[in-house]
Amino acid sequence: MTPASAQEVAQPSMQERPLKPKDVFKDCANCPEMVVVPAGSFKMGSPTNEPGHSAEESPQHLVTIARPFAVGRFEVTFDEWDACVAEGGCNGYKPSDEGWGRGRRPVINVSWDDAQAYVTWLSKKTGKPYRLLSGSEYEYAMRAGTQTVYPWGNTVGTNNANCHACGSHWDAKQTAPVGSFAPNEFGLNDMVGNVREWTEDCYHDTYNGSPTDGSAWIEGGDCYHRVVRGGSFLLAPAFLRSASRYWFTSDYRLRYLGFRVARTLAP
């Protein structure tokens, strides 16, 4: 048995030990690195006086996530996506890297449908319930206990993320390798900027009637359009605000669209 295969066999059994918030784990050698996010409550959306506020971010409402869950420490990378394709998953789709390089850069040019193919493969490979984050889980994980405009404060600052005018080496040019910026208080990287990230939610134009338990908002929505979060390297700082959200059709592929995964943890 090779060291790699030994690790792949051993890791899942190690996973079943009790996990604490900020614990980091992987379910296989080429699986995404996961971070345990604690249970908690937060106010979702933005106040009407926040610069850049949109009606899509209203009304603000309390969301309570009753149990810890795991979130990808980084956006899914080309390395991780290419491993899926190599093992016969992800419909054999090989997205373009736009000439920026693959490896540890976030996978791009992937649709919501593509992201679903990846989590289906990952769940089957590991026997664990992988999925996309709901919109409220994403905002909760992004904010990491804050209620400020950005996870790090009320101004965009310098070199906190990759966006148009964020003061980074990659601004408005291309994606950055994952982990190029400091993590938030939950230990998650690049929840803001770099690539916009698909969530499970169907699009609704306000938060009227939205779930308050962290679950994905599917009922009554336009499910051909799925919600994306987090802004990107091409967008202005206003689109990186913790409350900001947008939508694309579920089959849309763009050079600034990627995703990260979540995993439900056993009680």
Side-chain angles (χ1 to χ4, degrees), residues 14 58 64 71 97 99 117 122 147 154 156 169 173 177 217 220 254:
M14 292 170 63
S58 292
T64 297
V71 178
D97 63 13
L122 191 59
Q147 287 293 159
N154 285 320
V156 73
H169 175 71
K173 299 174 187 173
W217 195 8
L254 283 172

Side-chain angles (χ1 to χ4, degrees), residues 5 10 34 54 65 140 145 148 155 169 194 229 242:
S5 61
M34 305 298 290
S54 163
I65 294 173
Y140 174 72
T148 47
T155 59
H169 175 71
N194 218 18
R229 303 293 303 238
S242 296

Side-chain angles (χ1 to χ4, degrees), residues 233-261:
F233 72 93
L234 274 175
L235 293 174
F239 296 98
L240 273 69
R241 294 177 303 108
S242 296
S244 179
R245 64 190 183 105
Y246 194 64
W247 51 266
F248 289 107
T249 60
S250 61
D251 57 357
Y252 216 53
R253 293 168 172 167
L254 283 172
R255 60 182 173 146
Y256 57 83
L257 264 178
F259 68 102
R260 79 179 64 212
V261 297

Side-chain angles (χ1 to χ4, degrees), residues 117-130:
Y118 180 84
V119 295
T120 296
W121 168 81
L122 191 59
S123 297
K124 183 176 180 181
K125 177 180 176 67
T126 63
K128 307 292 184 182
Y130 280 91

Side-chain angles (χ1 to χ4, degrees), residues 25 27 32-37 65 67-76 115-116 118-120 122-123 126 128-138 141 188 191 197-200 214 216 259-265:
F25 67 88
D27 281 324
E33 200 169 354
M34 305 298 290
V35 179
V36 178
V37 169
I65 294 173
R67 294 185 53 246
F69 63 108
V71 178
R73 182 177 178 185
F74 310 113
E75 300 135 334
V76 171
Q116 293 296 328
Y118 180 84
V119 295
T120 296
L122 191 59
S123 297
T126 63
K128 307 292 184 182
Y130 280 91
R131 54 184 176 78
L132 296 182
L133 286 80
S134 70
S136 53
E137 285 177 332
Y138 196 101
L188 302 169
M191 296 293 291
E197 299 185 30
W198 292 107
T199 71
E200 191 68 26
F259 68 102
R260 79 179 64 212
V261 297
R263 172 153 101 68
T264 303
L265 298 175

